[in-house]
Every structure is written in structure tokens, then in C-alpha cells.
Amino acid sequence: MKSVLETRPELKAVIDQIAEVTGYLWQKGWAERNGGNITVNVTECIDEEMKALPAIAPVQQIGMVLPCLKGKFFYCKGTGKRMRDLAKQPMQNGSIVRICDDCASYEIIADEPVVPTSELPTHLALQNYLLETGSCYKATLHTHPIELVAMSHIQRFLRGDEMTRVLWSMIPETLAFAPLGIGIVPYGLPSSVELAEATLEKIKKHDVVLWEKHGTVAVGQDIMDAFDQTDVLCKAANIYMCARSMGSEPDGMTDAAVKELQEVFNLPKVRPC
Ligand code: 2HA
Ligand code: ZN
């Protein structure tokens, strides 16, 4: 079967990058079985011929009304699909969907009728927010990074910005590349609209959101950027756990050293675009 990617190098480049990142997710052990999901806004890569493509599966409800998504196109990982399979065959393990004019439903247009991710409400609520605020960000990533999920089992890290403070203090790069830190969402039912709403509130002020005892949600200019955001924070969590496994609580950089970094490098306190 002919793929829509065959004659569209710009769209293919975006999908190739998604496939590259899903390989990393599997290699890192963050994507057991069908764990994690991805959406990327590909509207800019959709030409008139593709816009006219008919739906290849019945219209489905999103479960939310998202006014900024009208007529937009997204690549979505398929529900039940494996990241490691997607790395090899992105158009068999994900699909391109168009949001209908009611802003509450979507239809699949290519290449195959692969039903999108179970966490679609969260992904699309975030995409709606990004468009609403004129952001240049196009990608959302949910994954299960081991060390960050492990830390979310410890009550101390779930209070206020304690997790961000500890992660920033592990290595200067964490603060430099995740200057908004990590926001905590208390445990919620996977795939629920409530989880989506809580995530949306937290992503407004943080680089990455941590779902207690489940995983992370990150946004990025592209999927590599969303991956890097998660990776930087997970690296800090890994350093924390390595130090703990040597027998003591790590010192961490001092609050003064963290403040100095913020000032000298003039680190942003809001998402730059
Ligand atoms: O897609 O990770 O949270 C499987 C999940 C659901
Ligand atoms: Zn999950």
C-alpha cells in the first residue's frame, strides 16, 4: 500500500524523527509493552491533496471540546502499539488524524485505521493549550521513566517543589535545560479527562509533568525536544538514586549555587515560545 509519506519529504522527516525517539524510549527501558504515547502536530506538513483525503475509519469522540484544534492534523501513536515496533514501522503503529469541525471528534486519514493512543484527552488538551497560547511547540510525549516514577512513590518528593529542588541540585545542566522544573499531578486514572485537566494546569508552569506512580508528560518544539526535557530530569533522578545507593543522602548543590546559575545564565521562568 502506498504511504502518504512517499511524496512528502517534510512530513516524512517529522515521522522519521518520531521513529528515532521511540527507539530511544525502548532502549532506555521507559516503554515496556505498549507503554507511553506521542502526538505531534503535523498540520504545517499537510498539503491540499492530503487535506482532501477521506476518513478511513468512523469518526471518534475525544471526550473534550478543544476549540483551537479545528481542522488540525496530528500524528498519534496507536493504542496498544509498542514503541519498539513504531521505531521500525511508524505508519503501522500510529496514524494521522484530522480534528473535525465540532472540535470534539476526530477521523483517521492515513495510512491505516490505527486507533490513537488511550491518553488522547491529555495529549490533545495540551496541544489545544499550545495553539491557544501561540506556542511554537508541536510535540507531546508520555513515557514511563524508571527513576522519576520511583521517586514519585516517596511522599516527600510529591510536596510543593521538593522534587524540582532536589533534581536541580544534582547537576547544573538540569536547571539549565529544565528551568521550569517538574510539576506533580497526584495519582489519577490513566486515560481520564480528570488526568488531562490536571496535567494541563501543571504544564503551564513546568517543563515536564510527573504523574504520581505512573510516568511523565512533556511538551517540546519537536519530539526530540520533548524527549530531551524528560531525559535531563531523569538523568538527575538517576544521579540522586546512585548517590543514595552508595549509602547516604547526596549533598546536592547549595541553594546559593542554584540561584547563581539562574542569575548568571538568565534562565527563563516561563516557556520561551
Ligand atoms: O499507552 O502508557 O498511560 C499506554 C500508557 C497509558
Ligand atoms: Zn502510561
Side-chain angles (χ1 to χ4, degrees):
M1 201 188 92
K2 200 167 172 298
S3 168
V4 292
L5 303 187
E6 274 176 34
T7 50
R8 295 179 178 86
E10 209 187 320
L11 180 61
K12 185 172 183 302
V14 175
I15 306 295
D16 284 349
Q17 189 186 55
I18 295 170
E20 181 182 349
V21 166
T22 57
Y24 300 155
L25 297 173
W26 165 248
Q27 286 158 18
K28 282 196 157 284
W30 297 357
E32 73 292 341
R33 200 174 182 277
N34 62 318
N37 25 71
I38 284 173
T39 63
V40 178
N41 182 344
V42 293
T43 311
E44 277 179 5
C45 309
I46 305 295
D47 53 36
E48 292 305 315
E49 187 190 351
M50 224 178 135
K51 279 187 187 149
L53 285 177
I56 54 173
V59 171
Q60 298 288 329
Q61 295 301 309
I62 301 168
M64 306 173 97
V65 182
L66 301 164
C68 299
L69 299 191
K70 184 175 174 176
K72 299 285 189 254
F73 293 82
F74 296 91
Y75 172 86
C76 303
K77 174 186 173 271
T79 186
K81 301 294 186 188
R82 296 178 177 85
M83 291 288 187
R84 63 179 188 268
D85 292 340
L86 198 158
K88 287 181 282 189
Q89 292 187 303
M91 297 306 281
Q92 279 80 54
N93 293 281
S95 56
I96 295 175
V97 307
R98 172 174 45 224
I99 308 300
C100 301
D101 287 353
D102 65 0
C103 305
S105 56
Y106 66 87
E107 51 195 13
I108 304 170
I109 59 155
D111 276 340
E112 297 176 19
V114 177
V115 177
T117 160
S118 59
E119 301 288 3
L120 202 62
T122 288
H123 287 272
L124 292 185
L126 264 50
Q127 294 283 5
N128 188 69
Y129 165 72
L130 293 172
L131 286 163
E132 189 180 12
T133 53
S135 171
C136 65
Y137 282 42
K138 296 203 160 30
T140 59
L141 167 66
H142 164 58
T143 187
H144 301 162
I146 302 165
E147 294 87 347
L148 289 170
V149 177
M151 284 178 81
S152 82
H153 284 263
I154 296 168
Q155 283 303 312
R156 156 162 102 86
F157 295 122
L158 303 179
R159 284 194 280 273
D161 53 11
E162 178 65 0
M163 174 92 90
T164 294
R165 191 190 67 75
V166 170
L167 296 178
W168 276 352
S169 78
M170 287 298 106
I171 174 172
E173 272 74 1
T174 316
L175 177 59
F177 296 114
L180 310 185
I182 194 160
I184 312 288
V185 165
Y187 181 80
L189 185 69
S191 319
S192 63
V193 168
E194 291 72 25
L195 192 58
E197 284 166 350
T199 309
L200 176 61
E201 284 316 303
K202 289 287 175 184
I203 207 73
K204 291 178 182 173
K205 296 213 167 108
H206 299 90
D207 292 303
V208 173
V209 170
L210 180 61
W211 288 346
E212 181 186 343
K213 304 181 183 99
H214 181 162
T216 51
V217 178
V219 292
Q221 297 181 27
D222 55 27
I223 197 66
M224 193 68 79
D225 184 32
F227 171 77
D228 281 338
Q229 293 287 285
T230 314
D231 193 29
V232 160
L233 288 160
C234 195
K235 169 73 177 263
N238 186 273
I239 294 169
Y240 176 82
M241 291 177 67
C242 287
R244 283 301 310 241
S245 70
M246 286 190 283
S248 48
E249 182 72 15
D251 294 341
M253 289 153 50
T254 62
D255 289 349
V258 169
K259 197 156 182 287
E260 183 189 28
L261 267 177
Q262 268 164 335
E263 284 167 5
V264 172
F265 290 99
N266 197 18
L267 296 173
K269 298 211 164 52
V270 291
R271 191 162 286 117
C273 81

